[in-house]
Amino acid sequence: EMLDEGTVVPRLHKDEPIYIVEYGAGCGRLAFYLLRAFEELSSTYRFLKRMKIVYVMTDFTMANVQFWRDHDMLQPYFQDGRLDCALADATEPFNDLELLVSGVRLTEGSVVNPMICVCNYFMCITPADAFLVDRAGTLTEGLVTSRSEREDEDLTDETIISRIRKTFTQTPVDPATRYPAPDHPALNLVLQEYHELLRDKGYPTSFLMPVGATRCVEGLVRLCRGHDCVLTLCGDKGYTQLAELEGRVGYPMSVEGSFSFMANMDGIGRYFSARGGSVMHNPVKVEAQGDTCLSVGLYLTTGQLASLPHCSTAFSEEL
């Protein structure tokens, strides 16, 4: 529906590509399945054949990029221009994206069509800031200190991560001024909203602010020209409602080769809403292992998802 002419503002420029950017594409399996799905959908939705859709896999390490470029199953998609790849680091703001196969550089204000962003178990590993509203209603930020259980001489030893122990020092913070507006235009609004909702509860609550996730979204928005229309589909382990966070103290970390936290998808949704967009979440599904929840979110940077009725209906019915 985002790609169908006349159903989205701004209107599509048929002679320009429509970019679908996947953050943290990993081994490339999701990209491969989606590209195959597009092939099948093209037989039903003929307008897709007229569109130049470019799926862009990204990761922060060149090793993964080279793996994709060498993979036999991906070669047909690279060769006909339906697939490209790029380096993208969620820890740093960015104003351009260099497509390594085509050589095209997407720069600030260069993308005229709406963009689509895909994130699969990505938000939980992006940087996040830790906050706590204590029993007295004071908002504090948790400053982390990480230590290994022993003195490690070889800092490249992969087993170090299993010995990391973290402590937090809580420091009072003003939610109205914590984030510079140019970098995170709505994060202060979300932080203030959390403080207002939690300060009179009478019990402490910890939560994470998804600064890495919002940085990735704003990076794509900066690439857009004359609009800020980015539709994001995210599947992750995370909380989609504030009620799931209330009364929790601390920031549990999972160690699985790397480390991750439960994504604050409620906070991501509030961020999109605060910047003038809209959000839909699936009902929370609790998996068999402990407290892990698999959640899916659909986020639009500007306007209402109701303006995409087929998309929002499909999301509701399938998820």
Side-chain angles (χ1 to χ4, degrees), residues 53-127:
I53 300 173
V54 181
Y55 194 101
V56 181
M57 296 191 295
T58 75
D59 215 315
F60 75 99
T61 171
M62 183 57 76
N64 283 354
V65 173
Q66 195 59 52
F67 174 79
W68 306 330
R69 298 188 67 171
D70 293 339
H71 202 292
D72 292 341
M73 300 296 287
L74 298 177
Q75 295 311 306
Y77 301 108
F78 282 130
Q79 291 169 7
D80 65 15
R82 285 178 289 171
L83 179 63
D84 216 312
C85 51
L87 289 172
D89 187 348
T91 66
E92 297 291 341
F94 66 90
N95 295 311
D96 62 5
L97 205 60
E98 182 180 359
L99 307 187
L100 300 175
V101 176
S102 64
V104 172
R105 180 180 289 274
L106 305 181
T107 57
E108 189 169 356
S110 66
V111 178
V112 298
N113 281 325
M115 301 185 75
I116 298 174
C117 176
V118 176
C119 302
N120 182 41
Y121 284 96
F122 174 74
M123 300 303 188
C124 64
I125 61 172
T126 59

Side-chain angles (χ1 to χ4, degrees), residues 4-302:
D4 198 0
E5 54 189 303
T7 64
V8 69
V9 177
R11 297 183 66 88
L12 292 178
H13 296 255
K14 298 179 182 179
D15 56 338
E16 293 287 339
I18 298 163
Y19 291 105
I20 302 175
V21 178
E22 181 186 354
Y23 281 116
C27 68
R29 184 187 298 268
L30 177 62
F32 175 71
Y33 285 141
L34 287 177
L35 288 165
R36 288 182 59 181
F38 291 150
E39 290 179 321
E40 297 175 3
L41 288 171
S42 294
S43 61
T44 303
Y45 301 99
R46 296 181 179 179
F47 70 88
L48 287 175
K49 294 181 179 180
R50 303 193 300 269
M51 303 294 177
K52 183 181 180 182
I53 300 173
V54 181
Y55 194 101
V56 181
M57 296 191 295
T58 75
D59 215 315
F60 75 99
T61 171
M62 183 57 76
N64 283 354
V65 173
Q66 195 59 52
F67 174 79
W68 306 330
R69 298 188 67 171
D70 293 339
H71 202 292
D72 292 341
M73 300 296 287
L74 298 177
Q75 295 311 306
Y77 301 108
F78 282 130
Q79 291 169 7
D80 65 15
R82 285 178 289 171
L83 179 63
D84 216 312
C85 51
L87 289 172
D89 187 348
T91 66
E92 297 291 341
F94 66 90
N95 295 311
D96 62 5
L97 205 60
E98 182 180 359
L99 307 187
L100 300 175
V101 176
S102 64
V104 172
R105 180 180 289 274
L106 305 181
T107 57
E108 189 169 356
S110 66
V111 178
V112 298
N113 281 325
M115 301 185 75
I116 298 174
C117 176
V118 176
C119 302
N120 182 41
Y121 284 96
F122 174 74
M123 300 303 188
C124 64
I125 61 172
T126 59
D129 291 335
F131 293 92
L132 169 72
V133 178
D134 63 21
R135 294 181 184 275
T138 302
L139 177 68
T140 61
E141 182 170 4
L143 306 180
V144 64
T145 300
S146 299
R147 293 185 175 89
S148 174
E149 293 178 333
R150 71 186 193 204
E151 185 173 348
D152 293 289
E153 296 182 359
D154 181 7
L155 298 183
T156 65
D157 181 3
E158 296 178 355
T159 65
I160 290 178
I161 195 170
S162 66
R163 297 190 293 276
I164 287 179
R165 297 295 178 266
K166 61 187 187 305
T167 57
F168 288 88
T169 302
Q170 301 295 143
T171 303
V173 64
D174 181 356
T177 59
R178 170 59 182 84
Y179 294 103
D183 294 332
H184 300 277
L187 276 179
N188 287 333
L189 296 177
V190 177
L191 195 56
Q192 290 177 77
E193 186 176 12
Y194 272 143
H195 187 214
E196 291 171 3
L197 291 170
L198 296 170
R199 63 186 177 187
D200 296 325
K201 294 291 185 179
Y203 50 77
T205 296
S206 302
F207 60 91
L208 299 175
M209 286 294 287
V211 293
T214 59
R215 183 180 296 126
C216 291
V217 172
E218 294 303 328
L220 294 184
V221 168
R222 283 192 291 272
L223 301 182
C224 297
R225 182 198 309 170
H227 69 90
D228 60 351
C229 190
V230 178
L231 179 71
T232 298
L233 178 63
C234 171
D236 217 318
K237 59 174 189 178
Y239 303 120
T240 60
Q241 303 174 49
L242 179 57
E244 299 172 78
L245 292 166
E246 287 188 34
R248 295 177 181 269
V249 177
Y251 317 95
M253 181 177 73
S254 298
V255 178
E256 301 164 348
S258 179
F259 60 87
S260 63
F261 297 87
M262 292 289 285
N264 183 4
M265 296 176 70
D266 175 77
I268 295 171
R270 290 176 189 272
Y271 179 84
F272 274 79
S273 297
R275 73 181 316 286
S278 53
V279 56
M280 293 180 69
H281 287 127
N282 70 319
V284 173
K285 302 173 183 178
V286 179
E287 295 182 343
Q289 296 181 351
D291 198 30
T292 301
C293 302
L294 174 62
S295 304
V296 182
L298 185 66
Y299 310 95
L300 187 62
T301 51
T302 183

